[in-house]
Amino acid sequence: MLVFNQQPIGIFDSGVGGLTVYRALHEKLRGERFVYLGDTARVPYGTKSLATVERYAIENSQFLAARGIKLLVVACNTASALALPKIREKIGVEVVGVIGPGARKAVRLTNDRANPRIGVIATEATVQSHAYSEAIRKASARAEILETPCPLFVSLAEENWTDEPETRSIARKYLQKIVEKNVDALVLGCTHYPILRRVIQKTVGENVMLVDSGEATAEEVENILNEKNLANDHPPKHAGERQLCDDLDHFYVTDAAERFARVAERFLGVKPAKLEAVEVFGLDKLNE
Ligand code: DGL
Protein backbone atom coordinates (compact mmCIF):
# COMPACT_ATOMS: atom_id res chain seq x y z
CA MET A 1 0.00 0.00 0.00
CA LEU A 2 1.42 3.36 -1.04
CA VAL A 3 1.50 6.22 1.44
CA PHE A 4 -0.63 9.16 0.31
CA ASN A 5 2.25 11.35 -0.89
CA GLN A 6 3.51 8.46 -3.04
CA GLN A 7 0.23 8.28 -4.96
CA PRO A 8 0.17 9.63 -8.52
CA ILE A 9 -1.06 13.03 -9.67
CA GLY A 10 -4.19 12.81 -11.84
CA ILE A 11 -4.50 14.90 -15.01
CA PHE A 12 -7.50 15.06 -17.29
CA ASP A 13 -8.19 16.78 -20.56
CA SER A 14 -10.84 16.61 -23.24
CA GLY A 15 -8.32 14.75 -25.39
CA VAL A 16 -4.71 14.90 -26.43
CA GLY A 17 -4.01 18.63 -25.90
CA GLY A 18 -3.53 18.18 -22.16
CA LEU A 19 -0.26 16.44 -22.97
CA THR A 20 1.30 19.93 -23.10
CA VAL A 21 0.31 20.30 -19.45
CA TYR A 22 1.57 16.78 -18.66
CA ARG A 23 4.91 17.71 -20.28
CA ALA A 24 5.19 20.86 -18.14
CA LEU A 25 4.34 18.91 -14.97
CA HIS A 26 6.71 16.08 -15.85
CA GLU A 27 9.57 18.52 -16.47
CA LYS A 28 9.12 20.25 -13.12
CA LEU A 29 8.18 17.28 -10.93
CA ARG A 30 10.58 14.47 -11.76
CA GLY A 31 9.82 12.57 -8.57
CA GLU A 32 6.09 12.26 -9.30
CA ARG A 33 4.07 9.68 -11.20
CA PHE A 34 1.10 10.71 -13.34
CA VAL A 35 -2.21 9.21 -14.40
CA TYR A 36 -3.65 10.95 -17.47
CA LEU A 37 -7.16 10.65 -18.85
CA GLY A 38 -7.98 12.03 -22.31
CA ASP A 39 -11.72 12.08 -23.03
CA THR A 40 -11.15 11.41 -26.73
CA ALA A 41 -14.67 10.00 -27.21
CA ARG A 42 -16.24 13.38 -26.46
CA VAL A 43 -13.65 15.94 -27.53
CA PRO A 44 -14.00 18.89 -28.24
CA TYR A 45 -15.30 20.53 -25.06
CA GLY A 46 -14.65 24.05 -26.36
CA THR A 47 -17.90 24.24 -28.32
CA LYS A 48 -20.13 22.58 -25.69
CA SER A 49 -22.49 23.94 -23.03
CA LEU A 50 -21.79 24.45 -19.34
CA ALA A 51 -24.04 21.54 -18.25
CA THR A 52 -22.37 19.10 -20.63
CA VAL A 53 -18.81 20.11 -19.80
CA GLU A 54 -19.62 19.86 -16.07
CA ARG A 55 -21.00 16.36 -16.48
CA TYR A 56 -18.04 15.15 -18.52
CA ALA A 57 -15.58 16.79 -16.13
CA ILE A 58 -17.13 15.06 -13.11
CA GLU A 59 -17.08 11.67 -14.82
CA ASN A 60 -13.41 12.13 -15.69
CA SER A 61 -12.57 13.27 -12.17
CA GLN A 62 -14.38 10.31 -10.57
CA PHE A 63 -12.49 7.94 -12.84
CA LEU A 64 -9.15 9.40 -11.74
CA ALA A 65 -10.20 9.60 -8.07
CA ALA A 66 -10.84 5.85 -8.23
CA ARG A 67 -7.20 5.39 -9.34
CA GLY A 68 -6.07 6.73 -5.94
CA ILE A 69 -4.64 10.10 -6.96
CA LYS A 70 -3.34 12.59 -4.38
CA LEU A 71 -4.06 15.73 -6.43
CA LEU A 72 -6.04 16.45 -9.59
CA VAL A 73 -4.89 18.81 -12.35
CA VAL A 74 -7.68 19.87 -14.71
CA ALA A 75 -5.49 20.40 -17.77
CA CYS A 76 -8.37 21.35 -20.05
CA ASN A 77 -8.88 25.12 -20.03
CA THR A 78 -12.54 24.76 -20.98
CA ALA A 79 -13.24 22.32 -18.12
CA SER A 80 -11.23 24.55 -15.74
CA ALA A 81 -13.23 27.59 -16.83
CA LEU A 82 -16.64 25.93 -16.53
CA ALA A 83 -16.50 23.05 -14.09
CA LEU A 84 -13.96 23.67 -11.32
CA PRO A 85 -16.49 24.41 -8.52
CA LYS A 86 -18.53 21.28 -9.36
CA ILE A 87 -15.39 19.10 -9.50
CA ARG A 88 -14.24 20.43 -6.11
CA GLU A 89 -17.68 19.62 -4.67
CA LYS A 90 -17.38 15.99 -5.78
CA ILE A 91 -13.71 15.11 -5.37
CA GLY A 92 -12.00 14.64 -2.05
CA VAL A 93 -8.50 15.68 -3.16
CA GLU A 94 -6.84 19.00 -3.97
CA VAL A 95 -7.98 20.22 -7.42
CA VAL A 96 -5.88 22.61 -9.53
CA GLY A 97 -7.16 24.20 -12.75
CA VAL A 98 -5.10 25.99 -15.40
CA ILE A 99 -6.97 29.31 -15.52
CA GLY A 100 -5.89 30.78 -12.15
CA PRO A 101 -2.18 29.96 -12.59
CA GLY A 102 -2.14 31.34 -16.18
CA ALA A 103 -3.94 34.52 -15.15
CA ARG A 104 -1.71 35.12 -12.11
CA LYS A 105 1.46 34.61 -14.15
CA ALA A 106 0.30 37.11 -16.78
CA VAL A 107 -0.36 39.67 -14.04
CA ARG A 108 3.04 39.03 -12.42
CA LEU A 109 4.84 39.47 -15.72
CA THR A 110 3.11 42.77 -16.52
CA ASN A 111 2.94 44.26 -13.03
CA ASP A 112 5.68 46.79 -13.73
CA ARG A 113 3.72 48.40 -16.59
CA ALA A 114 1.71 51.57 -15.91
CA ASN A 115 -1.25 50.21 -17.92
CA PRO A 116 -0.81 46.46 -18.26
CA ARG A 117 -2.58 45.05 -21.29
CA ILE A 118 -3.21 41.31 -21.27
CA GLY A 119 -4.61 39.29 -24.15
CA VAL A 120 -6.14 35.84 -23.78
CA ILE A 121 -6.73 33.34 -26.57
CA ALA A 122 -8.84 30.25 -25.87
CA THR A 123 -11.77 28.13 -27.05
CA GLU A 124 -15.18 29.72 -27.60
CA ALA A 125 -16.57 28.26 -24.35
CA THR A 126 -13.61 29.51 -22.29
CA VAL A 127 -13.86 33.00 -23.79
CA GLN A 128 -17.64 33.12 -23.26
CA SER A 129 -17.21 32.13 -19.61
CA HIS A 130 -14.86 35.11 -19.00
CA ALA A 131 -13.09 32.92 -16.45
CA TYR A 132 -9.69 34.34 -17.49
CA SER A 133 -10.94 37.94 -17.28
CA GLU A 134 -12.29 37.30 -13.79
CA ALA A 135 -9.10 35.63 -12.60
CA ILE A 136 -6.92 38.41 -14.06
CA ARG A 137 -9.19 41.08 -12.55
CA LYS A 138 -8.89 39.37 -9.15
CA ALA A 139 -5.09 39.67 -9.33
CA SER A 140 -4.96 43.16 -10.86
CA ALA A 141 -7.47 45.99 -10.86
CA ARG A 142 -5.41 47.87 -13.46
CA ALA A 143 -5.09 45.34 -16.24
CA GLU A 144 -6.90 45.88 -19.51
CA ILE A 145 -8.00 42.54 -20.89
CA LEU A 146 -8.87 41.37 -24.39
CA GLU A 147 -10.13 37.80 -24.87
CA THR A 148 -10.54 36.22 -28.27
CA PRO A 149 -11.38 32.67 -29.44
CA CYS A 150 -9.11 30.81 -31.90
CA PRO A 151 -10.99 27.51 -32.43
CA LEU A 152 -9.13 26.37 -35.58
CA PHE A 153 -5.82 26.36 -33.71
CA VAL A 154 -6.88 23.06 -32.07
CA SER A 155 -7.07 21.18 -35.39
CA LEU A 156 -3.97 22.90 -36.79
CA ALA A 157 -1.95 21.77 -33.75
CA GLU A 158 -3.22 18.18 -34.03
CA GLU A 159 -2.33 18.16 -37.74
CA ASN A 160 1.10 19.44 -36.74
CA TRP A 161 0.69 22.36 -39.17
CA THR A 162 2.94 24.50 -37.06
CA ASP A 163 4.48 26.61 -39.82
CA GLU A 164 2.28 26.18 -42.91
CA PRO A 165 1.23 29.34 -44.86
CA GLU A 166 -2.41 28.48 -44.02
CA THR A 167 -1.59 28.48 -40.30
CA ARG A 168 0.19 31.82 -40.59
CA SER A 169 -2.74 33.37 -42.40
CA ILE A 170 -5.29 32.00 -39.89
CA ALA A 171 -3.10 33.27 -37.04
CA ARG A 172 -2.98 36.75 -38.61
CA LYS A 173 -6.76 36.79 -38.89
CA TYR A 174 -7.45 35.52 -35.36
CA LEU A 175 -4.81 37.66 -33.70
CA GLN A 176 -5.46 40.93 -35.54
CA LYS A 177 -7.30 42.53 -32.59
CA ILE A 178 -4.61 41.34 -30.18
CA VAL A 179 -1.95 42.95 -32.38
CA GLU A 180 -3.96 46.21 -32.66
CA LYS A 181 -4.40 46.33 -28.90
CA ASN A 182 -0.63 46.18 -28.48
CA VAL A 183 -0.79 43.76 -25.54
CA ASP A 184 2.15 43.26 -23.16
CA ALA A 185 1.37 39.61 -22.49
CA LEU A 186 -0.74 36.99 -24.22
CA VAL A 187 -2.11 33.97 -22.35
CA LEU A 188 -2.18 30.73 -24.33
CA GLY A 189 -5.50 29.71 -22.74
CA CYS A 190 -5.99 26.38 -24.49
CA THR A 191 -4.06 23.14 -24.17
CA HIS A 192 -3.13 23.04 -27.87
CA TYR A 193 -1.80 26.55 -28.33
CA PRO A 194 1.74 25.92 -26.97
CA ILE A 195 2.23 23.63 -29.99
CA LEU A 196 1.72 26.73 -32.20
CA ARG A 197 3.81 28.95 -29.94
CA ARG A 198 6.28 29.98 -32.64
CA VAL A 199 3.73 31.09 -35.20
CA ILE A 200 1.73 32.91 -32.50
CA GLN A 201 4.87 34.70 -31.28
CA LYS A 202 5.83 35.74 -34.83
CA THR A 203 2.32 37.04 -35.47
CA VAL A 204 1.97 39.14 -32.32
CA GLY A 205 5.60 40.29 -32.27
CA GLU A 206 8.66 39.23 -30.31
CA ASN A 207 8.09 41.84 -27.58
CA VAL A 208 4.82 40.22 -26.41
CA MET A 209 5.33 37.82 -23.48
CA LEU A 210 3.54 34.53 -24.12
CA VAL A 211 2.15 32.83 -21.02
CA ASP A 212 1.79 29.06 -21.20
CA SER A 213 -0.96 28.20 -18.70
CA GLY A 214 0.34 24.63 -18.43
CA GLU A 215 3.79 25.82 -17.36
CA ALA A 216 2.26 28.30 -14.91
CA THR A 217 0.16 25.46 -13.49
CA ALA A 218 3.19 23.20 -13.06
CA GLU A 219 4.88 25.98 -11.04
CA GLU A 220 1.83 26.31 -8.76
CA VAL A 221 1.45 22.53 -8.38
CA GLU A 222 5.08 22.32 -7.23
CA ASN A 223 4.36 24.95 -4.55
CA ILE A 224 1.16 23.20 -3.42
CA LEU A 225 2.94 19.83 -3.13
CA ASN A 226 5.62 21.40 -0.96
CA GLU A 227 3.25 23.49 1.18
CA LYS A 228 0.88 20.58 1.83
CA ASN A 229 3.58 17.95 2.27
CA LEU A 230 2.29 16.07 -0.74
CA ALA A 231 5.57 15.78 -2.66
CA ASN A 232 6.61 12.17 -3.19
CA ASP A 233 9.08 11.35 -0.40
CA HIS A 234 9.98 8.08 -2.09
CA PRO A 235 10.67 9.11 -5.71
CA PRO A 236 11.33 6.46 -8.36
CA LYS A 237 14.97 5.49 -8.90
CA HIS A 238 16.78 7.64 -11.48
CA ALA A 239 13.93 10.18 -11.22
CA GLY A 240 16.18 12.85 -12.76
CA GLU A 241 16.64 10.85 -15.95
CA ARG A 242 13.01 9.89 -16.38
CA GLN A 243 11.60 10.13 -19.91
CA LEU A 244 8.20 11.50 -20.92
CA CYS A 245 5.55 8.78 -21.23
CA ASP A 246 7.71 6.10 -19.57
CA ASP A 247 6.04 3.13 -17.91
CA LEU A 248 5.70 4.88 -14.54
CA ASP A 249 3.00 7.12 -16.02
CA HIS A 250 -0.32 5.62 -17.02
CA PHE A 251 -2.46 7.01 -19.86
CA TYR A 252 -6.16 6.33 -20.38
CA VAL A 253 -8.44 7.43 -23.22
CA THR A 254 -12.17 7.04 -23.75
CA ASP A 255 -11.80 6.24 -27.48
CA ALA A 256 -9.37 5.99 -30.43
CA ALA A 257 -6.25 5.00 -28.53
CA GLU A 258 -4.22 4.65 -31.70
CA ARG A 259 -4.89 8.18 -32.83
CA PHE A 260 -4.06 9.43 -29.33
CA ALA A 261 -0.72 7.62 -29.50
CA ARG A 262 0.01 9.12 -32.94
CA VAL A 263 -0.76 12.69 -31.88
CA ALA A 264 1.10 12.15 -28.59
CA GLU A 265 4.16 11.28 -30.63
CA ARG A 266 3.76 14.50 -32.64
CA PHE A 267 3.37 16.60 -29.50
CA LEU A 268 5.94 14.92 -27.24
CA GLY A 269 8.17 12.96 -29.60
CA VAL A 270 7.22 9.68 -27.95
CA LYS A 271 4.22 7.35 -27.57
CA PRO A 272 2.89 6.46 -24.11
CA ALA A 273 4.35 3.18 -22.84
CA LYS A 274 1.12 2.43 -20.97
CA LEU A 275 -2.06 3.36 -22.81
CA GLU A 276 -5.53 1.91 -22.22
CA ALA A 277 -9.03 2.60 -23.51
CA VAL A 278 -11.69 2.92 -20.78
CA GLU A 279 -15.32 3.87 -20.23
CA VAL A 280 -16.19 6.76 -17.88
CA PHE A 281 -19.87 7.21 -18.84
CA GLY A 282 -22.18 7.30 -15.80
CA LEU A 283 -19.48 7.89 -13.21
CA ASP A 284 -20.97 11.34 -12.47
CA LYS A 285 -23.75 9.47 -10.63
CA LEU A 286 -21.27 8.08 -8.10
CA ASN A 287 -21.65 9.38 -4.52
CA GLU A 288 -25.07 10.89 -5.21
N1 DGL B 1 -8.56 21.02 -24.13
C1 DGL B 1 -9.39 22.11 -24.63
C2 DGL B 1 -9.02 23.39 -23.87
O1 DGL B 1 -7.94 23.55 -23.35
C3 DGL B 1 -9.21 22.30 -26.12
C4 DGL B 1 -9.85 21.23 -26.96
C5 DGL B 1 -11.35 21.15 -26.78
O2 DGL B 1 -12.08 22.05 -27.26
O3 DGL B 1 -11.80 20.23 -26.14
O4 DGL B 1 -9.85 24.24 -23.76
Side-chain angles (χ1 to χ4, degrees), residues 169-207:
S169 113
I170 290 168
R172 274 197 300 278
K173 192 160 181 155
Y174 275 153
L175 299 172
Q176 191 186 337
K177 284 205 191 99
I178 299 280
V179 172
E180 283 166 10
K181 181 94 177 170
N182 217 352
V183 298
D184 302 299
L186 178 63
V187 181
L188 307 179
C190 171
T191 48
H192 290 66
Y193 299 177
I195 303 293
L196 300 177
R197 193 182 175 117
R198 249 190 310 150
V199 67
I200 293 170
Q201 185 80 71
K202 266 194 202 151
T203 311
V204 295
E206 296 297 330
N207 52 340

Short mmCIF file of all heavy atoms in Angstrom, two decimals, residues 169-207:
data_model
loop_
_atom_site.label_atom_id
_atom_site.label_comp_id
_atom_site.label_asym_id
_atom_site.label_seq_id
_atom_site.Cartn_x
_atom_site.Cartn_y
_atom_site.Cartn_z
N SER A 169 -1.67 32.45 -42.01
CA SER A 169 -2.74 33.37 -42.40
C SER A 169 -3.91 33.30 -41.41
O SER A 169 -4.51 34.32 -41.06
CB SER A 169 -3.11 33.13 -43.86
OG SER A 169 -4.39 32.62 -43.98
N ILE A 170 -4.23 32.11 -40.91
CA ILE A 170 -5.29 32.00 -39.89
C ILE A 170 -4.86 32.73 -38.61
O ILE A 170 -5.65 33.45 -38.00
CB ILE A 170 -5.61 30.51 -39.60
CG1 ILE A 170 -6.32 29.89 -40.83
CG2 ILE A 170 -6.47 30.35 -38.35
CD1 ILE A 170 -6.44 28.38 -40.80
N ALA A 171 -3.60 32.59 -38.25
CA ALA A 171 -3.10 33.27 -37.04
C ALA A 171 -3.22 34.78 -37.21
O ALA A 171 -3.65 35.48 -36.28
CB ALA A 171 -1.64 32.87 -36.78
N ARG A 172 -2.87 35.29 -38.39
CA ARG A 172 -2.98 36.75 -38.61
C ARG A 172 -4.42 37.21 -38.44
O ARG A 172 -4.69 38.24 -37.81
CB ARG A 172 -2.48 37.12 -40.01
CG ARG A 172 -0.96 37.33 -40.06
CD ARG A 172 -0.56 38.08 -41.32
NE ARG A 172 -0.95 37.37 -42.54
CZ ARG A 172 -0.22 36.37 -43.08
NH1 ARG A 172 0.92 35.99 -42.52
NH2 ARG A 172 -0.63 35.77 -44.18
N LYS A 173 -5.34 36.41 -38.98
CA LYS A 173 -6.76 36.79 -38.89
C LYS A 173 -7.26 36.76 -37.44
O LYS A 173 -7.89 37.69 -36.97
CB LYS A 173 -7.57 35.81 -39.76
CG LYS A 173 -8.97 36.23 -39.99
CD LYS A 173 -9.57 35.54 -41.19
CE LYS A 173 -10.98 36.04 -41.37
NZ LYS A 173 -11.45 35.92 -42.73
N TYR A 174 -6.99 35.66 -36.75
CA TYR A 174 -7.45 35.52 -35.36
C TYR A 174 -6.82 36.57 -34.43
O TYR A 174 -7.45 37.03 -33.49
CB TYR A 174 -7.07 34.15 -34.81
CG TYR A 174 -8.03 33.01 -35.11
CD1 TYR A 174 -7.54 31.70 -35.17
CD2 TYR A 174 -9.39 33.20 -35.28
CE1 TYR A 174 -8.39 30.62 -35.41
CE2 TYR A 174 -10.24 32.14 -35.53
CZ TYR A 174 -9.74 30.85 -35.59
OH TYR A 174 -10.57 29.79 -35.81
N LEU A 175 -5.56 36.87 -34.69
CA LEU A 175 -4.81 37.66 -33.70
C LEU A 175 -4.76 39.16 -34.05
O LEU A 175 -4.10 39.93 -33.36
CB LEU A 175 -3.38 37.11 -33.56
CG LEU A 175 -3.32 35.64 -33.07
CD1 LEU A 175 -1.90 35.11 -33.13
CD2 LEU A 175 -3.86 35.52 -31.64
N GLN A 176 -5.50 39.53 -35.09
CA GLN A 176 -5.46 40.93 -35.54
C GLN A 176 -5.79 41.90 -34.40
O GLN A 176 -5.07 42.88 -34.17
CB GLN A 176 -6.46 41.10 -36.69
CG GLN A 176 -6.29 42.44 -37.41
CD GLN A 176 -7.39 42.62 -38.45
OE1 GLN A 176 -7.98 41.63 -38.90
NE2 GLN A 176 -7.68 43.86 -38.80
N LYS A 177 -6.88 41.62 -33.67
CA LYS A 177 -7.30 42.53 -32.59
C LYS A 177 -6.26 42.58 -31.48
O LYS A 177 -6.04 43.61 -30.85
CB LYS A 177 -8.64 42.06 -32.01
CG LYS A 177 -9.81 42.39 -32.88
CD LYS A 177 -11.09 42.48 -32.03
CE LYS A 177 -12.32 42.52 -32.91
NZ LYS A 177 -13.01 41.22 -33.04
N ILE A 178 -5.64 41.42 -31.22
CA ILE A 178 -4.61 41.34 -30.18
C ILE A 178 -3.42 42.22 -30.59
O ILE A 178 -2.87 42.96 -29.77
CB ILE A 178 -4.15 39.87 -29.99
CG1 ILE A 178 -5.31 38.98 -29.54
CG2 ILE A 178 -2.94 39.76 -29.08
CD1 ILE A 178 -5.68 39.04 -28.08
N VAL A 179 -3.07 42.14 -31.88
CA VAL A 179 -1.95 42.95 -32.38
C VAL A 179 -2.31 44.44 -32.28
O VAL A 179 -1.51 45.26 -31.80
CB VAL A 179 -1.60 42.56 -33.84
CG1 VAL A 179 -0.57 43.51 -34.43
CG2 VAL A 179 -1.07 41.13 -33.88
N GLU A 180 -3.53 44.80 -32.70
CA GLU A 180 -3.96 46.21 -32.66
C GLU A 180 -3.97 46.75 -31.24
O GLU A 180 -3.65 47.90 -31.00
CB GLU A 180 -5.37 46.35 -33.25
CG GLU A 180 -5.38 46.30 -34.77
CD GLU A 180 -6.78 46.09 -35.33
OE1 GLU A 180 -7.77 46.17 -34.58
OE2 GLU A 180 -6.86 45.81 -36.55
N LYS A 181 -4.31 45.91 -30.31
CA LYS A 181 -4.40 46.33 -28.90
C LYS A 181 -3.03 46.53 -28.28
O LYS A 181 -2.89 47.14 -27.22
CB LYS A 181 -5.17 45.24 -28.13
CG LYS A 181 -5.39 45.50 -26.68
CD LYS A 181 -6.73 46.14 -26.46
CE LYS A 181 -6.99 46.36 -24.99
NZ LYS A 181 -8.16 47.19 -24.76
N ASN A 182 -1.99 45.99 -28.97
CA ASN A 182 -0.63 46.18 -28.48
C ASN A 182 -0.45 45.60 -27.07
O ASN A 182 0.01 46.29 -26.16
CB ASN A 182 -0.36 47.69 -28.45
CG ASN A 182 1.06 47.98 -28.82
OD1 ASN A 182 1.87 47.05 -28.96
ND2 ASN A 182 1.38 49.24 -28.99
N VAL A 183 -0.82 44.35 -26.88
CA VAL A 183 -0.79 43.76 -25.54
C VAL A 183 0.66 43.54 -25.06
O VAL A 183 1.57 43.40 -25.87
CB VAL A 183 -1.55 42.40 -25.47
CG1 VAL A 183 -3.02 42.59 -25.80
CG2 VAL A 183 -0.91 41.35 -26.36
N ASP A 184 0.82 43.54 -23.75
CA ASP A 184 2.15 43.26 -23.16
C ASP A 184 2.36 41.76 -23.02
O ASP A 184 3.47 41.26 -23.15
CB ASP A 184 2.24 43.90 -21.77
CG ASP A 184 2.01 45.40 -21.83
OD1 ASP A 184 2.80 46.07 -22.51
OD2 ASP A 184 1.02 45.88 -21.23
N ALA A 185 1.27 41.06 -22.68
CA ALA A 185 1.37 39.61 -22.49
C ALA A 185 0.16 38.95 -23.14
O ALA A 185 -0.92 39.53 -23.21
CB ALA A 185 1.41 39.26 -21.01
N LEU A 186 0.36 37.74 -23.61
CA LEU A 186 -0.74 36.99 -24.22
C LEU A 186 -0.79 35.60 -23.58
O LEU A 186 0.19 34.85 -23.61
CB LEU A 186 -0.51 36.86 -25.74
CG LEU A 186 -1.55 36.05 -26.51
CD1 LEU A 186 -2.94 36.70 -26.43
CD2 LEU A 186 -1.15 35.90 -27.98
N VAL A 187 -1.95 35.28 -22.99
CA VAL A 187 -2.11 33.97 -22.35
C VAL A 187 -2.54 32.95 -23.39
O VAL A 187 -3.53 33.15 -24.10
CB VAL A 187 -3.16 34.03 -21.21
CG1 VAL A 187 -3.30 32.66 -20.55
CG2 VAL A 187 -2.81 35.10 -20.19
N LEU A 188 -1.80 31.85 -23.47
CA LEU A 188 -2.18 30.73 -24.33
C LEU A 188 -3.18 29.89 -23.52
O LEU A 188 -2.79 28.99 -22.79
CB LEU A 188 -0.96 29.90 -24.72
CG LEU A 188 0.20 30.70 -25.35
CD1 LEU A 188 1.37 29.78 -25.67
CD2 LEU A 188 -0.25 31.44 -26.60
N GLY A 189 -4.48 30.26 -23.64
CA GLY A 189 -5.50 29.71 -22.74
C GLY A 189 -6.19 28.48 -23.29
O GLY A 189 -7.40 28.30 -23.10
N CYS A 190 -5.45 27.64 -23.96
CA CYS A 190 -5.99 26.38 -24.49
C CYS A 190 -4.83 25.40 -24.57
O CYS A 190 -3.71 25.79 -24.94
CB CYS A 190 -6.59 26.62 -25.87
SG CYS A 190 -7.07 25.10 -26.73
N THR A 191 -5.12 24.16 -24.24
CA THR A 191 -4.06 23.14 -24.17
C THR A 191 -3.21 23.03 -25.43
O THR A 191 -2.02 22.71 -25.37
CB THR A 191 -4.70 21.77 -23.92
OG1 THR A 191 -5.79 21.61 -24.84
CG2 THR A 191 -5.18 21.64 -22.49
N HIS A 192 -3.83 23.27 -26.60
CA HIS A 192 -3.13 23.04 -27.87
C HIS A 192 -2.21 24.19 -28.28
O HIS A 192 -1.34 24.00 -29.12
CB HIS A 192 -4.13 22.83 -28.99
CG HIS A 192 -4.88 21.54 -28.91
ND1 HIS A 192 -5.76 21.26 -27.90
CD2 HIS A 192 -4.87 20.46 -29.73
CE1 HIS A 192 -6.28 20.06 -28.10
NE2 HIS A 192 -5.76 19.55 -29.19
N TYR A 193 -2.47 25.38 -27.76
CA TYR A 193 -1.80 26.55 -28.33
C TYR A 193 -0.27 26.56 -28.14
O TYR A 193 0.43 27.10 -29.00
CB TYR A 193 -2.43 27.85 -27.82
CG TYR A 193 -3.90 28.03 -28.17
CD1 TYR A 193 -4.63 29.13 -27.73
CD2 TYR A 193 -4.58 27.10 -28.97
CE1 TYR A 193 -5.97 29.31 -28.05
CE2 TYR A 193 -5.93 27.26 -29.28
CZ TYR A 193 -6.62 28.36 -28.81
OH TYR A 193 -7.95 28.52 -29.13
N PRO A 194 0.27 25.96 -27.06
CA PRO A 194 1.74 25.92 -26.97
C PRO A 194 2.41 25.23 -28.15
O PRO A 194 3.55 25.52 -28.49
CB PRO A 194 1.99 25.15 -25.66
CG PRO A 194 0.77 25.42 -24.84
CD PRO A 194 -0.36 25.45 -25.83
N ILE A 195 1.68 24.30 -28.82
CA ILE A 195 2.23 23.63 -29.99
C ILE A 195 2.46 24.65 -31.12
O ILE A 195 3.36 24.50 -31.95
CB ILE A 195 1.27 22.50 -30.47
CG1 ILE A 195 0.99 21.50 -29.34
CG2 ILE A 195 1.75 21.82 -31.74
CD1 ILE A 195 2.17 20.67 -28.91
N LEU A 196 1.62 25.71 -31.14
CA LEU A 196 1.72 26.73 -32.20
C LEU A 196 2.45 27.98 -31.69
O LEU A 196 2.33 29.06 -32.26
CB LEU A 196 0.32 27.11 -32.68
CG LEU A 196 -0.52 25.98 -33.26
CD1 LEU A 196 -1.91 26.49 -33.64
CD2 LEU A 196 0.15 25.37 -34.49
N ARG A 197 3.18 27.81 -30.61
CA ARG A 197 3.81 28.95 -29.94
C ARG A 197 4.61 29.83 -30.90
O ARG A 197 4.52 31.06 -30.87
CB ARG A 197 4.72 28.40 -28.84
CG ARG A 197 5.16 29.45 -27.88
CD ARG A 197 6.10 28.91 -26.80
NE ARG A 197 6.52 30.07 -26.06
CZ ARG A 197 6.28 30.28 -24.78
NH1 ARG A 197 5.66 29.36 -24.07
NH2 ARG A 197 6.66 31.39 -24.20
N ARG A 198 5.40 29.19 -31.78
CA ARG A 198 6.28 29.98 -32.64
C ARG A 198 5.52 30.87 -33.61
O ARG A 198 5.83 32.05 -33.76
CB ARG A 198 7.23 29.05 -33.39
CG ARG A 198 8.64 29.27 -32.84
CD ARG A 198 9.71 28.61 -33.64
NE ARG A 198 9.37 27.21 -33.88
CZ ARG A 198 9.75 26.54 -34.95
NH1 ARG A 198 10.49 27.12 -35.86
NH2 ARG A 198 9.42 25.28 -35.11
N VAL A 199 4.49 30.30 -34.23
CA VAL A 199 3.73 31.09 -35.20
C VAL A 199 2.93 32.19 -34.48
O VAL A 199 2.80 33.31 -34.99
CB VAL A 199 2.84 30.19 -36.11
CG1 VAL A 199 1.75 29.52 -35.38
CG2 VAL A 199 2.27 30.98 -37.26
N ILE A 200 2.47 31.89 -33.28
CA ILE A 200 1.73 32.91 -32.50
C ILE A 200 2.69 34.05 -32.13
O ILE A 200 2.37 35.23 -32.29
CB ILE A 200 1.10 32.27 -31.23
CG1 ILE A 200 0.00 31.28 -31.64
CG2 ILE A 200 0.54 33.35 -30.30
CD1 ILE A 200 -0.55 30.41 -30.51
N GLN A 201 3.88 33.68 -31.67
CA GLN A 201 4.87 34.70 -31.28
C GLN A 201 5.23 35.58 -32.48
O GLN A 201 5.28 36.80 -32.37
CB GLN A 201 6.14 34.01 -30.74
CG GLN A 201 7.19 34.97 -30.19
CD GLN A 201 6.88 35.46 -28.78
OE1 GLN A 201 6.97 34.71 -27.83
NE2 GLN A 201 6.51 36.73 -28.65
N LYS A 202 5.46 34.96 -33.63
CA LYS A 202 5.83 35.74 -34.83
C LYS A 202 4.71 36.69 -35.20
O LYS A 202 4.95 37.81 -35.62
CB LYS A 202 6.07 34.78 -36.01
CG LYS A 202 7.52 34.41 -36.17
CD LYS A 202 7.74 33.77 -37.53
CE LYS A 202 8.99 32.93 -37.52
NZ LYS A 202 8.93 31.82 -38.47
N THR A 203 3.46 36.23 -35.05
CA THR A 203 2.32 37.04 -35.47
C THR A 203 2.10 38.24 -34.55
O THR A 203 1.82 39.34 -35.02
CB THR A 203 1.03 36.18 -35.51
OG1 THR A 203 1.32 34.99 -36.23
CG2 THR A 203 -0.12 36.91 -36.15
N VAL A 204 2.25 38.03 -33.24
CA VAL A 204 1.97 39.14 -32.32
C VAL A 204 3.21 40.01 -32.08
O VAL A 204 3.11 41.11 -31.55
CB VAL A 204 1.41 38.65 -30.96
CG1 VAL A 204 0.05 38.01 -31.14
CG2 VAL A 204 2.36 37.72 -30.24
N GLY A 205 4.37 39.51 -32.46
CA GLY A 205 5.60 40.29 -32.27
C GLY A 205 6.42 39.75 -31.12
O GLY A 205 5.87 39.24 -30.14
N GLU A 206 7.73 39.85 -31.27
CA GLU A 206 8.66 39.23 -30.31
C GLU A 206 8.60 39.89 -28.93
O GLU A 206 9.02 39.31 -27.93
CB GLU A 206 10.10 39.27 -30.83
CG GLU A 206 10.33 38.45 -32.10
CD GLU A 206 10.10 36.95 -31.93
OE1 GLU A 206 10.31 36.43 -30.81
OE2 GLU A 206 9.69 36.30 -32.92
N ASN A 207 8.10 41.15 -28.88
CA ASN A 207 8.09 41.84 -27.58
C ASN A 207 6.91 41.44 -26.69
O ASN A 207 6.84 41.82 -25.52
CB ASN A 207 8.10 43.36 -27.78
CG ASN A 207 7.00 43.79 -28.73
OD1 ASN A 207 6.49 42.96 -29.50
ND2 ASN A 207 6.60 45.04 -28.66
#
